[in-house]
Amino acid sequence: MYRYLERRLVESVREFLRRSYGFENTNIVVEQPPKIEFGEYALPVAFELAKKLRKAPLKIAAEIVAGVGAISGFEKFEVAGAGYINVRVSRAELAMALAADEKPAAEVPAGKVLVEHSSINPNKAAHIGHLRNAILGDTFVRLLRFAGREVDVQNYIDNTGAQVADVVVGFLEIERKSRGEIEALAAAPRFDYLCWDLYARVSRWYEEDKSNLQARAAALRSIEEGNNETAAVADLISVAVLRRHLETMERLDIEYDFLPRESEILHLHFWDAAFTKLKDAGVLSYETEGKNKGCWVMRRAGTSKSESAESAEGPSASLRAGSEDKITEEDQKVIVRSNGTVGYVGKDIAYHMWKFGLLGRDFGYRRFFRYPNAHDCWISTVHGEQDHPHFGDVAEIYNVIDARQSEAQNTVIEALRGLGHGEAADRYTHFSYEMVALTPRCAAELGYQLGEEDKGRAWIEVSGRKGFGVKADDLLDALIASARKEVDARHPELSEAERAGIATQLAIGALRYFMLKFTKPSVIAFDFKDALSFEGDTGPYAQYAVVRASNIFRKGGFDPDGFGGDAASRVSGEEFARYLNGSSSNDIWELWLAAAKTSYIVGQSIATTEPAYLAKHAFQLAQLFNTFYHRHPILSETDEGRKKFLLETTAVVRRELIRILAAMGITVPSVM
């Protein structure tokens, strides 16, 4: 409701400015006053119009307040300070609408959204850094669906890269395993753990003798060519590890719709089709001299054509279809190497052309993984099933990839622009984030030996190649075990299954919340104690606020879900006004207002691609509710009308907290 009222306010003020001053489509900034007693919205528009109208902001603000007229849902407009306009809503009207769970119609952009996240190399177990990616991506999917968007969830599988090749080398060259022996190992539980250790061994093997790297190069060639024993082993390993990844993510209630694989991008000749288009459009240049001689290159994202051309000395070193533009060596991004192999970015360009429906080719599809809710996850193949969902050809793309991939992501965007698809490039978002590390305390708890220097650091960086890090399943197991100790101590009367279920909900809630509460540019130093705390800015704290609200209804003999659904029969408009109006009710009104902002915060989180806003909202609402709980004894209230109002307040906050946590992928246990 808060978001809906804000839109109504903006439209009314914009109409007044058009009618009175002749300004069309004026940008109206809406702020929130620093204190609830000043109102619910603040407009600084008079300051922005002062130069255009050659009037003092205070005079403009007074004209707007006098001329905008009555707006449904609003009580008063007031001029404040040197020209601010403070706006007060009708508290009773907003509360009644919120209690009735009214959902005003909102414009939903047309077209399907594609969110790609996780994208874990299928060569070893998923680790803690992958969990941040997956939780961010899954939460963003939930936010988009909350806002009414249709979303496809994809998990790109690089099954032909160096990481997979390294594990193949480990099995074939170091372990000397046959294909049959590898297949038997792949069928055993936690095959991904075995590959984790082997991957670290292969890295050390390369370091011991650089000539061993020739084995990687040979394996890579065989995997890309396909239809050979090495490629078959690579497929066997990657598929087995991929299944383990899906099982790990399923523990966090994370699902995917489609798993596009790099092998099909190669074997279905996606790159060939893209290569032709890129050359015809003049996006690529063939280098005839210099360090990139024999390569096809494109301009590195962020470099200027004019500057590059002016700084180039002598005749052009590039042969560029349809253009005389020169690209200096420092501004070149190699797309196709001199040996004819296409790099990662080239394949990514082709893949994103497919995403937008611009390639003219498609994958084959087959069912790969079925979730307990009967949802099928599909995987790419060369010759697939006839009856499959339609993937690709989307309106918007969000790629959840860490900040180190910024240049590669920007190169793909610039390639789309160069092909003439500027609108698609504008709807391509790199959803970037920073890495996850461990606090020294957490690393020590997980069994890692730390030197004195390590103990004094703020965080310890993990490394898959060195085998140093936290496997995702190990982290989940440790969190559940830690939560179980707390649950066992608090609720020994519950059954084994009940305590196990509650511990799992707490652990998953703690992990997901911890990964979401930090803004994306922040490096996260993970710590068990901080994440699982029942106090402060944590998942369990927000979960506990819901449990506390549920307990109020349980003790009072009410159904919490049913109570809020018939608010009008319990609390009248006059009663809402009586209990919410006036400065003495500001603390309760602040709680109602926060509860009204769920859709507003969801929209803000989507617009900024920052789920941390939602986590902050959950914490603030839980804080406000806990303050309300301690200040206002509900079940012992002797005034029956006020008691119903306080119960209605509790029901609304409980409902909104459950929704907010659900959008974060967090469920609430029955007891804590």
Side-chain angles (χ1 to χ4, degrees):
M1 289 302 301
Y2 182 88
R3 189 183 188 190
Y4 173 69
L5 286 174
E6 181 185 81
R7 286 200 298 266
R8 185 187 290 173
L9 172 64
V10 167
E11 289 166 4
S12 298
V13 173
R14 186 175 287 138
E15 170 57 24
F16 169 79
L17 297 179
R18 184 198 63 77
R19 187 175 68 247
S20 300
Y21 305 131
F23 295 149
E24 298 288 342
N25 300 317
T26 306
N27 181 43
I28 309 293
V29 175
V30 181
E31 299 176 357
Q32 297 180 38
K35 295 182 179 180
I36 195 71
E37 52 262 36
F38 297 153
E40 289 71 38
Y41 304 97
L43 304 176
V45 64
F47 298 100
E48 298 164 21
L49 296 176
K51 281 189 177 180
K52 291 181 180 180
L53 295 174
R54 296 184 179 180
K55 293 181 181 180
L58 195 62
K59 182 174 178 55
I60 297 170
E63 290 175 355
I64 294 173
V65 168
V68 74
I71 305 174
S72 177
F74 291 88
E75 183 180 277
K76 188 188 296 184
F77 285 68
E78 299 171 328
V79 178
Y84 267 95
I85 300 172
N86 286 341
V87 185
R88 300 180 187 276
V89 304
S90 169
R91 293 184 176 185
E93 285 185 48
L94 176 54
M96 288 180 68
L98 183 60
D101 201 16
E102 291 182 9
K103 296 183 176 68
E107 289 187 16
V108 178
K112 187 160 57 175
V113 183
L114 191 160
V115 177
E116 178 192 312
H117 68 79
S118 302
S119 303
I120 310 167
N121 288 317
N123 71 317
K124 65 181 187 305
H127 59 63
I128 190 171
H130 298 135
L131 290 181
R132 186 179 196 187
N133 182 306
I135 290 169
L136 281 170
D138 179 67
T139 301
F140 199 68
V141 169
R142 292 168 187 266
L143 291 171
L144 289 167
R145 288 175 175 162
F146 186 103
R149 300 301 300 273
E150 180 186 2
V151 187
D152 270 353
V153 187
Q154 293 190 183
N155 177 0
Y156 182 79
I157 310 302
D158 181 4
N159 62 336
T160 66
Q163 289 79 7
V164 171
D166 286 346
V167 178
V168 170
V169 168
F171 277 119
L172 298 181
E173 300 294 332
I174 298 177
E175 292 285 312
R176 298 292 180 179
K177 299 289 187 185
S178 68
R179 179 177 171 183
E181 289 172 321
I182 298 170
E183 190 168 7
L185 291 170
R190 294 200 168 179
F191 174 66
D192 52 340
Y193 278 43
L194 176 63
C195 293
W196 174 290
D197 295 333
L198 185 58
Y199 181 61
R201 284 180 60 198
V202 173
S203 298
R204 292 193 295 271
W205 187 63
Y206 291 152
E207 291 173 0
E208 291 166 3
D209 186 345
K210 296 300 181 184
S211 66
N212 290 333
L213 286 167
Q214 295 174 12
R216 173 199 276 175
L220 275 170
R221 284 194 300 272
S222 297
I223 293 169
E224 287 203 9
E225 289 169 4
N227 298 316
N228 56 68
E229 186 69 10
T230 301
V233 168
D235 184 64
L236 168 65
I237 293 168
S238 63
V239 167
V241 172
L242 174 57
R243 285 191 183 278
R244 283 290 304 120
H245 290 169
L246 298 188
E247 290 166 357
T248 298
M249 295 306 167
E250 189 184 348
R251 299 179 69 184
L252 291 159
D253 196 23
I254 295 175
E255 297 182 356
Y256 308 93
D257 299 312
F258 178 48
L259 310 171
R261 295 189 295 180
E262 189 166 295
S263 54
E264 275 68 57
I265 288 178
L266 292 170
H267 300 152
L268 292 170
H269 306 291
F270 276 29
W271 168 246
D272 294 343
F275 192 27
T276 299
K277 292 177 184 289
L278 290 163
K279 288 188 292 185
D280 290 347
V283 176
L284 296 182
S285 305
Y286 182 75
E287 291 301 298
T288 58
E289 59 184 50
K291 68 176 182 179
N292 293 327
K293 181 179 180 180
C295 300
W296 285 92
V297 304
M298 65 174 282
R299 183 175 303 284
R300 192 178 296 278
T303 61
S304 165
K305 289 185 179 181
S306 58
E307 289 177 4
S308 182
E310 289 171 5
S311 62
E313 297 179 1
S316 173
S318 304
L319 300 176
R320 184 178 172 91
S323 173
E324 295 301 321
D325 180 40
K326 302 180 181 71
I327 311 175
T328 59
E329 285 188 354
E330 60 269 23
D331 290 343
Q332 293 172 1
K333 177 68 177 178
V334 174
I335 304 300
V336 182
R337 305 179 188 96
S338 59
N339 62 5
T341 59
V342 58
Y344 164 78
V345 174
K347 287 175 279 191
D348 213 27
I349 292 170
Y351 172 41
H352 283 84
M353 291 172 68
W354 168 83
K355 284 184 178 181
F356 278 120
L358 304 173
L359 190 63
R361 300 198 179 191
D362 199 5
F363 293 103
Y365 302 90
R366 67 178 173 86
R367 289 177 178 84
F368 181 74
F369 192 90
R370 172 159 284 198
Y371 295 99
N373 62 5
H375 173 66
D376 284 321
C377 177
W378 295 72
I379 196 168
S380 64
T381 186
V382 174
H383 304 292
E385 301 174 30
Q386 292 298 314
D387 185 18
H388 61 80
H390 178 71
F391 296 110
D393 195 19
V394 299
E396 298 175 51
I397 293 171
Y398 291 89
N399 286 341
V400 185
I401 305 176
D402 73 48
R404 291 169 295 184
Q405 298 298 318
S406 293
E407 182 183 347
Q409 290 289 295
N410 289 333
T411 299
V412 176
I413 292 171
E414 290 308 310
L416 290 170
R417 292 195 194 284
L419 288 166
H421 302 301
E423 186 178 348
D426 291 339
R427 290 182 276 109
Y428 179 129
T429 301
H430 175 201
F431 190 113
S432 68
Y433 64 94
E434 273 295 347
M435 68 175 186
V436 181
L438 306 175
T439 63
R441 178 173 64 186
C442 183
E445 288 175 358
L446 289 164
Y448 290 105
Q449 298 298 316
L450 303 178
E452 289 303 316
E453 183 180 343
D454 292 327
K455 294 176 183 178
R457 293 179 179 175
W459 43 266
I460 308 294
E461 187 173 355
V462 299
S463 171
R465 285 197 175 276
K466 296 177 181 178
F468 179 80
V470 183
K471 301 180 187 72
D473 281 308
D474 283 351
L475 177 62
L476 288 169
D477 291 343
L479 282 169
I480 292 170
S482 182
R484 179 62 186 272
K485 291 178 183 177
E486 189 74 24
V487 174
D488 286 347
R490 293 184 179 214
H491 298 285
E493 77 283 0
L494 297 178
S495 70
E496 172 80 16
E498 287 174 318
R499 283 180 281 131
I502 292 169
T504 299
Q505 286 178 290
L506 289 175
I508 299 303
L511 176 61
R512 291 191 68 122
Y513 190 97
F514 195 88
M515 291 294 186
L516 292 170
K517 74 174 183 177
F518 298 97
T519 56
K520 295 180 298 165
S522 306
V523 173
I524 293 179
F526 187 82
D527 187 272
F528 286 111
K529 185 176 180 180
D530 291 344
L532 277 172
S533 173
F534 278 46
E535 300 298 327
D537 192 6
T538 66
Y541 179 80
Q543 289 171 310
Y544 187 62
V546 178
V547 171
R548 172 171 274 170
S550 298
N551 285 340
I552 293 171
F553 288 98
R554 180 177 55 80
K555 291 176 183 177
F558 302 106
D559 172 21
D561 296 315
F563 192 92
D566 193 20
S569 67
R570 292 190 175 90
V571 185
S572 67
E574 291 77 13
E575 287 174 312
F576 271 121
R578 183 188 317 144
Y579 298 128
L580 287 174
N581 289 342
S583 59
S584 62
S585 300
N586 280 345
D587 62 329
I588 295 182
W589 172 240
E590 190 172 6
L591 177 60
W592 276 87
L593 186 62
K597 291 182 179 179
T598 301
S599 293
Y600 173 81
I601 300 297
V602 167
Q604 183 184 41
S605 298
I606 292 172
T608 59
T609 62
E610 185 51 88
Y613 290 127
L614 193 64
K616 182 179 180 181
H617 180 50
F619 177 53
Q620 290 178 336
L621 188 55
Q623 272 188 314
L624 287 169
F625 175 73
N626 285 330
T627 300
F628 161 82
Y629 173 85
H630 289 295
R631 285 182 182 173
H632 303 279
I634 299 171
L635 296 178
S636 60
E637 173 61 55
T638 55
D639 182 328
E640 194 61 29
R642 182 171 176 78
K643 180 178 180 179
K644 289 179 181 178
F645 166 73
L646 295 176
L647 283 168
E648 189 60 45
T649 302
T650 303
V652 166
V653 173
R654 176 182 176 275
R655 182 192 71 203
E656 294 305 309
L657 268 174
I658 290 172
R659 285 178 176 169
I660 295 162
L661 292 174
M664 297 169 69
I666 298 171
T667 59
V668 180
S670 56
V671 298
M672 287 179 65

